[in-house]
Amino acid sequence: MQVDKESIKEFAYGLGMDLCGIAGVDRFAEAPARTHPCELLPGCKSVIVVGVKLLDGVIQANFRAFEDGRRDLKGVYGTYGYTILPNFELTYACYALARYIESRTGCAAMPCSTGPMTNGIQISIRHAAVAAGLGVLGWMGLVLTPEFGPRNRFGVILTTLELEPDPMYSGKVLCNPEKCNICTQVCPTKALSRYGEKSQSFTMEGRTMEYCVLDWNKCQVATLALTKELGGAKDYVTTDSPTAEDIRKAYKEMPISEMGLQHVNSWHCGKCLTYCPAGNWAARFLKTGLSRGPKFKK
């Protein structure tokens, strides 16, 4: 049986994947040290990226939390939108796809870890998704696809099988930070730099993509709920400009969670993903009454 791009995608969709794209290793020329596909799998020729859409009903749990004060519903997002189910589904699919390639071609196939509770990070999954033509990086640094905006999760398989690569995304503009800025405005800790102030970029196949500079310490305050205002048991951090040491101290002070599979739950925010207008947001959420729209903290 011939294994080519079409059969790979057919198999991936049969596993329940919503997206599948393929990149050649040449698109990773600027990858940081130790993350280039050929450093992870010697002789790697192709990078396969699969993706799943996050359920609209799961995203609306965030709207209830942010707009109605229903913090008890954040666990729905944690389970079905962030930590557990999408990443398990991707993990199983990547393993099955790697087995499919090895059993039929004799080529090596290496599934990479997915999600926030994996055994290390092998490759930048978001850059791989861009390389595979599935979308672009939005200003907040998440992958935007034309179908779903940032409300996707991705998995990666490296293989020595040479496959025809997909073209990089060249459709309609998915992010215009000069006019939008919703992600920077809804961020509760102002962790994302504003457009025109600070940015970072990368170049792939002659295309340069610019995105925000993320203050990871501020982001952690929101995602880990390190203040009472953001859903924490108490104010583990008491400054608006926390340092890495502040975060480490807060992390040690927080009790080990008995919910889910993380010692410290990291799904307490997601506002940038939730309110990004890309992926037909207004039609899916505003016009259906699932959201009243973002409120900006001044």
Side-chain angles (χ1 to χ4, degrees), residues 13-118:
Y13 297 139
L15 294 170
M17 298 294 97
D18 297 306
L19 302 165
C20 182
I22 298 170
V25 294
D26 57 305
R27 293 180 184 167
F28 296 83
E30 292 193 5
R34 300 175 65 84
T35 66
H36 190 282
C38 291
E39 291 190 65
L40 306 173
L41 177 64
C44 180
K45 292 184 175 66
S46 303
V47 178
I48 304 166
V49 183
V50 294
V52 292
K53 166 191 179 290
L54 299 184
L55 295 172
D56 291 350
V58 170
I59 297 301
Q60 78 84 32
N62 270 354
F63 295 132
R64 304 286 70 74
F66 299 141
E67 298 173 16
D68 300 333
R70 290 295 304 272
R71 298 294 305 186
D72 56 313
L73 294 180
K74 282 296 293 183
V76 173
Y77 174 67
T79 299
Y80 295 104
Y82 188 74
T83 308
I84 303 178
L85 261 299
N87 296 305
F88 281 2
E89 187 176 12
L90 288 164
T91 297
Y92 296 141
C94 287
Y95 180 59
L97 190 50
R99 283 176 52 85
Y100 173 79
I101 292 170
E102 290 204 353
S103 66
R104 285 163 176 77
T105 69
C107 294
M110 173 184 153
C112 295
S113 297
T114 60
M117 50 176 191
T118 55

Side-chain angles (χ1 to χ4, degrees), residues 271-289:
K271 272 195 168 183
C272 56
L273 175 149
T274 301
Y275 285 105
C276 174
N280 298 316
W281 183 91
R284 280 185 165 142
F285 303 116
L286 190 64
K287 292 181 180 179
T288 58

